[in-house]
Amino acid sequence: MTENAALSELAGKARAWPFEEARRLIKRLDKLPDGKDKTVIFETGYGPSGLPHIGTFGEVARSSMVRHAFEVLTEGQRKTRLVCFSDDMDGFRKVPGNVPNREMLEQYIDMPLTRVPDPFSNDYESFAHHNNARLRHFLDQFGFEYEFFSATECYKSGMMDETLLRMLAVYDKVMDIILPTIGPERQKTYSPFLPICQHTGKVLQVPMIGRDVAGGTVTYIDPEFGHEVVTPVTGGRVKCQWKADWAMRWTALGVDYEMAGKDLIDSVTLSSKICRALGGTPPEGFNYELFLDENGEKISKSKGNGITIEEWLEY
């Protein structure tokens, strides 16, 4: 028996969870019209609001395991890609507890992360660029094969425009999905679109008072000056709320597989519904347990209570 034949036989009998997940993904693809011919997209998301930690590594490692199992089971006959997506256009909501120059950072609350200065040095264009570089350096150390995507670049380049216009067209359906899951006060201000303020550059959480599907624009009241603002949803002038953003990303990139922690089970369900409303097919996925700190609380980049990658490597 040749080495490849022996490997194929072993893979066929393997019952480890990455192989079970890979088999489920194969079944999904076999049901899609172009499933046997398309490049299979694995995705993992990263929020650069703080330094990468062990959980960040875990997401990429787990996804890589399933990708490897998939390639073994399909004997390398199907092309795959692993996209590591940084949500670096998110608004800066909270200063992490484990960074220097915290008072300086307070001035940039609600700005996109790629417009917040790097508190560590002048080596990087922004806080997000610094954290993105830390993540990529670490992943490169371990030889992960991946493609890095920046939300800021994807929005501004027009990569997401077609799907954003689709989001605008099915706006009411998206609202019907989300509104029953949030409280009365949040319902008053919720919109799947977050405009980037033309004056301050901040990511605004304001309701939309008008929509023009044909023109590709939304209208809102400027919270500082009180006048109406009409803005396109394309070209990086808005970003999406994160559950809508997740669904938009799945649709725009054609994502086939993405994992999530068990705290996001409900979010996966909602984003899957929005993905279908956009005309996309939600990806297969897997929910995993969370890393906890010494107090039994979920580790968080914004809180700074996680084990950093460098600390983890010491052990």
Coordinates of all heavy atoms in Angstrom, one line a residue, residues 74-163:
T74 N -10.6 14.9 1.1 CA -10.8 15.1 -0.3 C -9.6 14.9 -1.2 O -9.6 15.2 -2.4 CB -11.3 16.6 -0.5 OG1 -10.4 17.5 0.0 CG2 -12.7 16.8 0.2
E75 N -8.5 14.4 -0.5 CA -7.2 14.0 -1.2 C -6.7 15.2 -2.0 O -6.1 15.0 -3.1 CB -7.4 12.8 -2.1 CG -7.9 11.6 -1.3 CD -8.0 10.4 -2.1 OE1 -8.0 10.5 -3.4 OE2 -8.2 9.3 -1.6
G76 N -6.9 16.4 -1.4 CA -6.3 17.6 -2.1 C -7.0 18.0 -3.4 O -6.4 18.8 -4.1
Q77 N -8.1 17.4 -3.7 CA -8.8 17.7 -5.0 C -9.6 19.0 -4.9 O -10.1 19.4 -6.0 CB -9.7 16.5 -5.3 CG -8.9 15.2 -5.5 CD -7.9 15.3 -6.6 OE1 -8.2 15.7 -7.8 NE2 -6.6 15.0 -6.3
R78 N -9.8 19.6 -3.7 CA -10.6 20.8 -3.6 C -9.8 21.9 -3.0 O -9.1 21.7 -2.0 CB -11.9 20.6 -2.8 CG -12.9 19.6 -3.4 CD -14.1 19.5 -2.5 NE -15.1 18.5 -3.1 CZ -16.3 18.3 -2.6 NH1 -16.7 19.0 -1.5 NH2 -17.1 17.5 -3.1
K79 N -9.8 23.1 -3.7 CA -9.0 24.2 -3.2 C -9.6 24.8 -1.9 O -10.9 24.8 -1.8 CB -8.9 25.3 -4.3 CG -8.1 24.8 -5.5 CD -8.0 26.0 -6.5 CE -7.3 25.6 -7.8 NZ -7.2 26.7 -8.8
T80 N -8.8 25.2 -1.0 CA -9.3 25.8 0.2 C -8.5 27.1 0.5 O -7.4 27.3 0.0 CB -9.1 24.9 1.4 OG1 -7.7 24.7 1.7 CG2 -9.8 23.6 1.2
R81 N -9.2 28.0 1.3 CA -8.5 29.2 1.7 C -9.0 29.4 3.2 O -10.1 29.1 3.6 CB -9.0 30.4 0.9 CG -8.6 30.4 -0.5 CD -9.4 31.5 -1.3 NE -9.1 32.8 -0.8 CZ -9.8 33.9 -1.1 NH1 -10.9 33.8 -1.9 NH2 -9.5 35.1 -0.6
L82 N -8.1 30.0 4.0 CA -8.4 30.4 5.4 C -8.3 31.9 5.4 O -7.2 32.4 5.3 CB -7.5 29.7 6.4 CG -7.6 30.2 7.8 CD1 -9.1 30.0 8.3 CD2 -6.6 29.5 8.7
V83 N -9.4 32.6 5.7 CA -9.4 34.0 5.8 C -9.4 34.4 7.3 O -10.3 34.0 8.0 CB -10.6 34.6 5.1 CG1 -10.8 36.1 5.4 CG2 -10.5 34.4 3.6
C84 N -8.4 35.2 7.7 CA -8.4 35.7 9.0 C -8.8 37.2 8.9 O -8.1 38.0 8.4 CB -6.9 35.6 9.6 SG -6.8 36.1 11.3
F85 N -10.0 37.5 9.4 CA -10.7 38.7 9.2 C -10.6 39.6 10.4 O -11.1 39.2 11.5 CB -12.1 38.5 8.8 CG -12.8 39.7 8.1 CD1 -12.9 39.9 6.8 CD2 -13.3 40.7 9.0 CE1 -13.5 41.0 6.2 CE2 -13.9 41.9 8.4 CZ -14.0 42.0 7.0
S86 N -10.0 40.8 10.3 CA -9.9 41.7 11.4 C -11.0 42.8 11.3 O -11.2 43.5 10.4 CB -8.6 42.4 11.4 OG -8.5 43.4 12.4
D87 N -11.9 42.8 12.4 CA -12.9 43.8 12.5 C -12.4 45.2 12.9 O -12.8 45.8 13.9 CB -14.0 43.4 13.5 CG -14.7 42.1 13.0 OD1 -15.1 42.1 11.8 OD2 -14.9 41.2 13.8
D88 N -11.4 45.7 12.1 CA -10.7 46.9 12.6 C -11.4 48.2 12.2 O -10.8 49.3 12.4 CB -9.3 46.9 12.0 CG -9.2 46.8 10.5 OD1 -10.2 47.0 9.8 OD2 -8.1 46.4 10.0
M89 N -12.6 48.1 11.7 CA -13.4 49.3 11.4 C -14.4 49.6 12.5 O -15.1 50.6 12.5 CB -14.1 49.3 10.1 CG -14.5 50.6 9.5 SD -15.1 50.4 7.8 CE -15.9 52.0 7.5
D90 N -14.5 48.7 13.5 CA -15.3 48.8 14.6 C -15.0 50.1 15.4 O -13.9 50.5 15.4 CB -15.2 47.6 15.6 CG -16.0 46.4 15.1 OD1 -16.7 46.5 14.1 OD2 -15.8 45.4 15.7
G91 N -16.0 50.7 16.1 CA -15.8 51.8 16.9 C -15.0 51.4 18.2 O -15.3 50.3 18.7
F92 N -14.1 52.3 18.6 CA -13.3 52.0 19.8 C -14.2 52.4 21.0 O -14.5 53.5 21.4 CB -12.1 52.9 19.8 CG -11.1 52.8 20.9 CD1 -10.7 51.5 21.2 CD2 -10.7 53.9 21.6 CE1 -9.7 51.3 22.3 CE2 -9.7 53.7 22.6 CZ -9.3 52.4 23.0
R93 N -14.8 51.3 21.7 CA -15.8 51.5 22.7 C -15.2 51.6 24.1 O -15.8 52.2 25.0 CB -16.8 50.4 22.7 CG -17.5 50.2 21.4 CD -18.2 51.4 20.9 NE -18.8 51.2 19.6 CZ -19.3 52.2 18.8 NH1 -19.2 53.4 19.2 NH2 -19.8 51.9 17.6
K94 N -14.0 51.1 24.4 CA -13.5 51.0 25.7 C -12.0 50.9 25.7 O -11.4 50.2 24.9 CB -14.1 49.8 26.5 CG -13.7 49.7 27.9 CD -14.4 48.4 28.5 CE -13.9 48.3 30.0 NZ -14.6 47.0 30.6
V95 N -11.3 51.6 26.6 CA -9.9 51.6 26.6 C -9.5 50.3 27.4 O -9.9 50.1 28.6 CB -9.3 52.8 27.3 CG1 -7.7 52.7 27.4 CG2 -9.6 54.1 26.6
P96 N -8.7 49.4 26.8 CA -8.2 48.2 27.5 C -7.4 48.5 28.8 O -6.8 49.6 28.8 CB -7.4 47.4 26.5 CG -7.8 48.0 25.2 CD -8.2 49.4 25.4
G97 N -7.4 47.6 29.7 CA -6.7 47.9 31.0 C -5.2 47.5 30.9 O -4.5 47.8 31.9
N98 N -4.8 46.9 29.8 CA -3.4 46.5 29.7 C -2.6 47.2 28.7 O -1.7 46.6 28.1 CB -3.4 44.9 29.5 CG -4.0 44.6 28.1 OD1 -4.8 45.4 27.6 ND2 -3.8 43.4 27.7
V99 N -2.9 48.5 28.4 CA -2.1 49.2 27.4 C -1.6 50.5 28.1 O -2.3 51.0 29.0 CB -3.0 49.6 26.2 CG1 -3.4 48.3 25.5 CG2 -4.2 50.4 26.6
P100 N -0.6 51.1 27.6 CA -0.1 52.4 28.1 C -0.9 53.6 27.5 O -1.7 53.4 26.6 CB 1.4 52.4 27.6 CG 1.4 51.6 26.3 CD 0.4 50.5 26.6
N101 N -0.6 54.8 28.0 CA -1.2 56.0 27.4 C -2.7 55.9 27.4 O -3.3 56.3 26.4 CB -0.6 56.3 26.1 CG 0.9 56.6 26.1 OD1 1.4 57.3 26.9 ND2 1.6 55.8 25.2
R102 N -3.3 55.4 28.5 CA -4.8 55.3 28.5 C -5.5 56.6 28.4 O -6.6 56.7 27.8 CB -5.2 54.5 29.7 CG -4.5 53.1 29.8 CD -5.1 52.3 30.9 NE -6.4 51.9 30.7 CZ -7.4 51.8 31.7 NH1 -7.0 52.0 32.9 NH2 -8.6 51.5 31.4
E103 N -5.0 57.6 29.0 CA -5.6 58.9 29.0 C -5.7 59.5 27.5 O -6.7 60.1 27.1 CB -4.9 59.9 29.9 CG -5.1 59.7 31.4 CD -4.5 60.7 32.2 OE1 -4.1 61.8 31.7 OE2 -4.5 60.6 33.5
M104 N -4.6 59.3 26.8 CA -4.6 59.7 25.4 C -5.7 58.9 24.6 O -6.4 59.5 23.8 CB -3.2 59.4 24.8 CG -3.1 59.8 23.3 SD -3.5 58.5 22.2 CE -2.2 57.3 22.4
L105 N -5.8 57.7 24.9 CA -6.8 56.8 24.1 C -8.2 57.3 24.4 O -9.1 57.1 23.5 CB -6.6 55.4 24.4 CG -5.3 54.7 23.9 CD1 -5.3 53.2 24.4 CD2 -5.3 54.8 22.4
E106 N -8.5 57.8 25.6 CA -9.9 58.2 26.0 C -10.4 59.2 25.0 O -11.6 59.3 24.8 CB -9.9 58.8 27.4 CG -9.6 57.8 28.5 CD -10.9 56.9 28.8 OE1 -11.9 57.2 28.2 OE2 -10.7 56.0 29.6
Q107 N -9.5 60.0 24.3 CA -10.0 61.0 23.4 C -10.5 60.4 22.1 O -11.1 61.1 21.3 CB -8.8 61.9 23.1 CG -8.2 62.6 24.3 CD -6.9 63.3 23.9 OE1 -6.9 64.1 22.9 NE2 -5.8 63.1 24.6
Y108 N -10.3 59.1 21.9 CA -10.6 58.5 20.6 C -11.8 57.5 20.7 O -12.0 56.7 19.8 CB -9.4 57.8 20.0 CG -8.4 58.8 19.6 CD1 -7.4 59.2 20.5 CD2 -8.4 59.4 18.4 CE1 -6.4 60.2 20.2 CE2 -7.4 60.4 18.0 CZ -6.4 60.8 18.9 OH -5.5 61.7 18.6
I109 N -12.5 57.6 21.8 CA -13.7 56.7 22.0 C -14.7 56.9 20.8 O -14.9 58.0 20.4 CB -14.4 57.0 23.3 CG1 -13.5 56.6 24.5 CG2 -15.7 56.2 23.4 CD1 -13.2 55.1 24.6
D110 N -15.2 55.8 20.2 CA -16.1 55.8 19.1 C -15.5 56.0 17.7 O -16.2 55.9 16.7 CB -17.3 56.8 19.3 CG -18.2 56.4 20.5 OD1 -18.3 55.2 20.8 OD2 -18.8 57.4 21.1
M111 N -14.2 56.2 17.7 CA -13.5 56.3 16.4 C -13.3 54.9 15.9 O -13.1 54.0 16.7 CB -12.2 57.0 16.6 CG -12.3 58.5 17.0 SD -13.0 59.5 15.7 CE -11.7 59.7 14.6
P112 N -13.2 54.7 14.6 CA -12.8 53.4 14.0 C -11.4 53.0 14.6 O -10.6 53.9 14.7 CB -12.8 53.6 12.5 CG -13.7 54.8 12.3 CD -13.6 55.7 13.5
L113 N -11.2 51.7 14.8 CA -10.0 51.3 15.4 C -8.8 51.6 14.6 O -7.7 51.8 15.1 CB -10.1 49.8 15.7 CG -11.0 49.4 16.8 CD1 -11.3 47.9 16.8 CD2 -10.4 49.8 18.2
T114 N -9.0 51.7 13.3 CA -7.8 52.1 12.4 C -7.6 53.6 12.4 O -6.6 54.1 11.7 CB -8.1 51.6 11.0 OG1 -9.5 51.9 10.6 CG2 -7.9 50.2 10.8
R115 N -8.3 54.4 13.2 CA -8.1 55.8 13.3 C -7.7 56.2 14.8 O -7.6 57.3 15.1 CB -9.3 56.6 12.9 CG -9.6 56.4 11.4 CD -10.7 57.3 10.9 NE -10.3 58.7 11.0 CZ -11.1 59.7 10.5 NH1 -12.3 59.4 10.0 NH2 -10.7 61.0 10.6
V116 N -7.5 55.2 15.6 CA -7.0 55.4 17.0 C -5.5 55.2 17.0 O -5.0 54.2 16.6 CB -7.7 54.3 17.9 CG1 -7.2 54.5 19.4 CG2 -9.2 54.4 17.9
P117 N -4.8 56.2 17.6 CA -3.3 56.1 17.6 C -2.8 54.9 18.3 O -3.5 54.4 19.2 CB -2.9 57.4 18.3 CG -4.1 58.4 18.1 CD -5.3 57.5 18.1
D118 N -1.7 54.5 17.9 CA -1.0 53.3 18.6 C -0.5 53.8 19.9 O 0.4 54.7 19.9 CB 0.1 52.8 17.7 CG 0.9 51.7 18.3 OD1 0.4 51.1 19.3 OD2 1.9 51.3 17.8
P119 N -0.9 53.3 21.0 CA -0.5 53.8 22.3 C 0.9 53.3 22.7 O 1.5 53.8 23.7 CB -1.5 53.2 23.3 CG -2.0 51.9 22.7 CD -2.0 52.2 21.2
F120 N 1.5 52.3 22.0 CA 2.7 51.7 22.3 C 3.9 52.4 21.7 O 5.0 52.5 22.3 CB 2.8 50.2 21.8 CG 1.8 49.4 22.5 CD1 0.5 49.2 22.0 CD2 2.1 48.8 23.8 CE1 -0.4 48.4 22.6 CE2 1.1 48.0 24.4 CZ -0.1 47.8 23.9
S121 N 3.8 52.9 20.5 CA 4.9 53.5 19.8 C 4.4 54.3 18.6 O 3.2 54.4 18.3 CB 5.9 52.5 19.3 OG 5.3 51.7 18.3
N122 N 5.3 54.8 17.8 CA 4.9 55.5 16.5 C 5.2 54.6 15.3 O 5.3 55.0 14.2 CB 5.7 56.8 16.4 CG 5.3 57.8 17.4 OD1 4.1 58.0 17.7 ND2 6.3 58.5 17.9
D123 N 5.4 53.3 15.6 CA 5.8 52.4 14.6 C 4.6 52.0 13.7 O 4.9 51.5 12.5 CB 6.4 51.1 15.2 CG 7.7 51.3 15.9 OD1 8.3 52.3 15.6 OD2 8.1 50.5 16.8
Y124 N 3.4 52.1 14.2 CA 2.3 51.7 13.4 C 1.3 52.9 13.2 O 1.2 53.8 14.0 CB 1.5 50.5 14.1 CG 2.4 49.3 14.1 CD1 3.2 49.0 15.2 CD2 2.5 48.4 13.0 CE1 4.0 47.9 15.3 CE2 3.3 47.3 13.1 CZ 4.0 47.0 14.2 OH 4.8 45.9 14.2
E125 N 0.5 52.8 12.1 CA -0.4 53.8 11.7 C -1.5 54.0 12.8 O -2.0 55.1 12.9 CB -1.0 53.5 10.4 CG -2.0 54.5 9.8 CD -2.5 54.1 8.4 OE1 -1.8 53.2 7.7 OE2 -3.6 54.5 8.0
S126 N -1.9 52.9 13.4 CA -3.0 53.0 14.4 C -2.9 51.9 15.4 O -2.1 50.9 15.3 CB -4.4 52.9 13.7 OG -4.6 51.6 13.2
F127 N -3.8 51.9 16.4 CA -3.9 50.9 17.4 C -4.3 49.5 16.7 O -3.7 48.5 17.0 CB -5.0 51.3 18.4 CG -5.1 50.3 19.6 CD1 -4.0 49.7 20.2 CD2 -6.3 50.1 20.2 CE1 -4.1 48.9 21.3 CE2 -6.5 49.3 21.3 CZ -5.3 48.7 21.9
A128 N -5.2 49.6 15.8 CA -5.6 48.4 15.0 C -4.4 47.8 14.2 O -4.2 46.6 14.2 CB -6.8 48.7 14.1
H129 N -3.7 48.7 13.6 CA -2.5 48.2 12.8 C -1.5 47.5 13.7 O -0.9 46.5 13.3 CB -1.9 49.4 12.0 CG -2.6 49.9 10.8 ND1 -3.7 50.8 10.9 CD2 -2.5 49.6 9.5 CE1 -4.2 51.0 9.7 NE2 -3.5 50.3 8.9
H130 N -1.3 48.1 14.9 CA -0.4 47.5 15.8 C -0.9 46.1 16.2 O -0.1 45.1 16.2 CB -0.2 48.4 17.1 CG 0.6 47.8 18.2 ND1 0.0 46.9 19.1 CD2 1.9 47.8 18.5 CE1 1.0 46.5 20.0 NE2 2.1 47.0 19.6
N131 N -2.1 46.0 16.6 CA -2.7 44.7 17.1 C -2.8 43.7 15.9 O -2.5 42.5 16.1 CB -4.0 44.9 17.7 CG -3.9 45.7 19.0 OD1 -2.9 45.7 19.6 ND2 -5.0 46.3 19.4
N132 N -3.1 44.2 14.7 CA -3.1 43.3 13.6 C -1.7 42.7 13.3 O -1.6 41.5 13.0 CB -3.6 44.0 12.3 CG -5.1 44.3 12.3 OD1 -5.8 43.7 13.1 ND2 -5.5 45.3 11.5
A133 N -0.7 43.6 13.4 CA 0.7 43.1 13.2 C 1.1 42.1 14.2 O 1.8 41.1 13.9 CB 1.6 44.3 13.2
R134 N 0.7 42.3 15.5 CA 1.0 41.4 16.5 C 0.4 40.0 16.2 O 1.0 38.9 16.4 CB 0.5 41.9 17.9 CG 1.2 43.0 18.5 CD 2.5 42.6 19.2 NE 2.2 41.8 20.4 CZ 2.0 42.3 21.6 NH1 2.1 43.7 21.8 NH2 1.8 41.6 22.6
L135 N -0.9 40.0 15.8 CA -1.5 38.8 15.4 C -0.8 38.0 14.3 O -0.5 36.8 14.4 CB -3.0 39.0 15.1 CG -3.8 37.8 14.5 CD1 -4.0 36.8 15.7 CD2 -5.1 38.2 13.9
R136 N -0.6 38.8 13.2 CA 0.0 38.2 12.0 C 1.4 37.6 12.4 O 1.8 36.5 11.9 CB 0.1 39.2 10.9 CG -1.2 39.7 10.4 CD -1.2 40.7 9.4 NE -0.7 40.2 8.1 CZ -0.7 40.9 7.0 NH1 -1.0 42.2 7.0 NH2 -0.3 40.4 5.9
H137 N 2.2 38.4 13.2 CA 3.5 37.9 13.5 C 3.5 36.6 14.3 O 4.2 35.6 14.0 CB 4.2 38.9 14.4 CG 5.6 38.5 15.0 ND1 6.7 38.3 14.2 CD2 5.9 38.2 16.2 CE1 7.7 37.9 14.9 NE2 7.3 37.8 16.2
F138 N 2.5 36.5 15.2 CA 2.3 35.3 16.0 C 1.9 34.1 15.1 O 2.5 33.0 15.1 CB 1.3 35.5 17.1 CG 1.0 34.2 17.8 CD1 1.9 33.7 18.7 CD2 -0.2 33.5 17.6 CE1 1.6 32.5 19.4 CE2 -0.5 32.4 18.3 CZ 0.4 31.8 19.2
L139 N 0.9 34.3 14.2 CA 0.4 33.2 13.3 C 1.5 32.8 12.4 O 1.7 31.6 12.1 CB -0.8 33.7 12.5 CG -2.0 34.1 13.3 CD1 -3.1 34.6 12.4 CD2 -2.5 33.0 14.2
D140 N 2.4 33.7 11.9 CA 3.5 33.4 11.1 C 4.5 32.5 11.8 O 5.1 31.6 11.2 CB 4.1 34.6 10.5 CG 3.2 35.4 9.6 OD1 2.2 34.8 9.1 OD2 3.5 36.6 9.3
Q141 N 4.7 32.8 13.1 CA 5.6 32.0 13.9 C 5.3 30.5 13.8 O 6.1 29.6 13.8 CB 5.6 32.4 15.3 CG 6.5 33.7 15.6 CD 6.5 34.0 17.1 OE1 5.4 34.2 17.7 NE2 7.7 34.0 17.7
F142 N 4.0 30.2 13.8 CA 3.5 28.8 13.8 C 3.3 28.2 12.5 O 2.8 27.1 12.3 CB 2.3 28.7 14.7 CG 2.5 28.7 16.2 CD1 2.6 29.9 16.8 CD2 2.7 27.5 16.9 CE1 2.9 30.0 18.2 CE2 3.0 27.6 18.2 CZ 3.1 28.8 18.9
G143 N 3.5 29.0 11.4 CA 3.4 28.5 10.1 C 2.0 28.3 9.6 O 1.8 27.6 8.7
F144 N 1.0 29.0 10.2 CA -0.3 29.0 9.7 C -0.4 29.5 8.3 O 0.2 30.5 8.0 CB -1.3 29.8 10.6 CG -1.6 29.2 11.9 CD1 -1.2 29.8 13.1 CD2 -2.3 28.0 12.0 CE1 -1.5 29.2 14.3 CE2 -2.6 27.4 13.2 CZ -2.2 28.0 14.4
E145 N -1.2 28.8 7.5 CA -1.4 29.3 6.1 C -2.7 30.0 6.1 O -3.8 29.4 6.3 CB -1.4 28.1 5.1 CG -1.6 28.6 3.7 CD -1.7 27.4 2.7 OE1 -1.3 26.3 3.1 OE2 -2.3 27.5 1.6
Y146 N -2.7 31.3 5.9 CA -3.9 32.1 5.9 C -3.8 33.4 5.1 O -2.7 33.8 4.6 CB -4.2 32.6 7.4 CG -3.2 33.5 7.9 CD1 -3.4 34.9 7.9 CD2 -2.0 33.1 8.4 CE1 -2.4 35.8 8.4 CE2 -1.0 34.0 8.9 CZ -1.2 35.3 8.9 OH -0.3 36.2 9.3
E147 N -4.9 34.0 4.8 CA -5.0 35.3 4.2 C -5.6 36.3 5.1 O -6.6 36.1 5.7 CB -5.8 35.3 2.9 CG -5.3 34.3 1.9 CD -6.3 34.1 0.7 OE1 -6.8 35.1 0.2 OE2 -6.7 32.9 0.4
F148 N -4.9 37.5 5.3 CA -5.4 38.5 6.3 C -6.2 39.5 5.6 O -5.8 40.1 4.6 CB -4.2 39.1 6.9 CG -4.6 40.0 8.1 CD1 -4.8 39.5 9.3 CD2 -4.7 41.4 7.9 CE1 -5.1 40.3 10.4 CE2 -5.1 42.2 8.9 CZ -5.3 41.7 10.2
F149 N -7.4 39.7 6.1 CA -8.3 40.7 5.6 C -8.6 41.8 6.6 O -8.9 41.5 7.8 CB -9.7 40.1 5.2 CG -9.7 39.4 3.8 CD1 -8.6 38.7 3.4 CD2 -10.8 39.5 3.0 CE1 -8.6 38.0 2.2 CE2 -10.8 38.9 1.8 CZ -9.7 38.2 1.3
S150 N -8.5 43.0 6.2 CA -8.9 44.2 7.1 C -10.3 44.7 6.7 O -10.5 45.0 5.6 CB -7.8 45.3 6.9 OG -8.4 46.5 7.3
A151 N -11.1 44.8 7.7 CA -12.5 45.3 7.5 C -12.4 46.7 6.9 O -13.2 47.0 5.9 CB -13.3 45.3 8.8
T152 N -11.5 47.5 7.4 CA -11.4 48.9 6.8 C -11.1 48.9 5.3 O -11.7 49.6 4.5 CB -10.3 49.7 7.6 OG1 -10.6 49.7 9.0 CG2 -10.2 51.1 7.1
E153 N -10.1 48.0 5.0 CA -9.8 48.0 3.6 C -10.9 47.3 2.7 O -11.1 47.8 1.6 CB -8.5 47.1 3.4 CG -7.3 47.8 4.1 CD -6.0 46.9 4.0 OE1 -6.1 45.8 3.4 OE2 -5.0 47.3 4.6
C154 N -11.6 46.3 3.3 CA -12.7 45.7 2.5 C -13.8 46.7 2.3 O -14.4 46.7 1.2 CB -13.2 44.5 3.3 SG -12.0 43.1 3.3
Y155 N -14.2 47.4 3.3 CA -15.3 48.4 3.1 C -14.9 49.5 2.2 O -15.6 49.9 1.2 CB -15.6 49.0 4.5 CG -16.7 48.3 5.3 CD1 -16.3 47.3 6.2 CD2 -18.0 48.5 5.1 CE1 -17.3 46.7 7.0 CE2 -19.0 47.8 5.8 CZ -18.6 46.9 6.8 OH -19.6 46.3 7.5
K156 N -13.7 50.1 2.4 CA -13.3 51.2 1.6 C -13.0 50.9 0.1 O -13.1 51.7 -0.8 CB -12.1 51.9 2.2 CG -12.4 52.7 3.5 CD -11.3 53.5 4.0 CE -11.7 54.3 5.2 NZ -10.5 55.1 5.8
S157 N -12.5 49.6 -0.1 CA -12.2 49.2 -1.5 C -13.4 48.9 -2.4 O -13.2 48.8 -3.6 CB -11.3 48.0 -1.4 OG -12.0 46.9 -1.0
G158 N -14.5 48.8 -1.7 CA -15.7 48.5 -2.5 C -16.0 47.0 -2.5 O -17.0 46.6 -3.1
M159 N -15.2 46.2 -1.9 CA -15.4 44.7 -1.9 C -16.8 44.3 -1.3 O -17.4 43.4 -1.7 CB -14.3 44.0 -1.1 CG -14.4 42.5 -1.1 SD -13.2 41.7 0.1 CE -11.6 42.2 -0.7
M160 N -17.3 45.1 -0.4 CA -18.5 44.8 0.3 C -19.7 45.5 -0.3 O -20.9 45.3 0.1 CB -18.4 45.1 1.8 CG -17.3 44.5 2.5 SD -17.4 42.7 2.4 CE -16.1 42.2 3.6
D161 N -19.5 46.4 -1.3 CA -20.5 47.3 -1.8 C -21.8 46.6 -2.3 O -22.9 46.9 -1.9 CB -20.0 48.2 -2.9 CG -19.2 49.3 -2.4 OD1 -19.0 49.5 -1.1 OD2 -18.6 50.1 -3.2
E162 N -21.6 45.5 -3.1 CA -22.7 44.8 -3.6 C -23.6 44.2 -2.5 O -24.8 44.3 -2.6 CB -22.2 43.7 -4.5 CG -23.4 42.9 -5.2 CD -22.9 41.8 -6.1 OE1 -21.7 41.8 -6.4 OE2 -23.7 40.9 -6.4
T163 N -23.0 43.7 -1.5 CA -23.8 43.1 -0.4 C -24.4 44.1 0.5 O -25.5 44.0 1.0 CB -22.9 42.1 0.4 OG1 -22.2 41.3 -0.5 CG2 -23.7 41.3 1.3

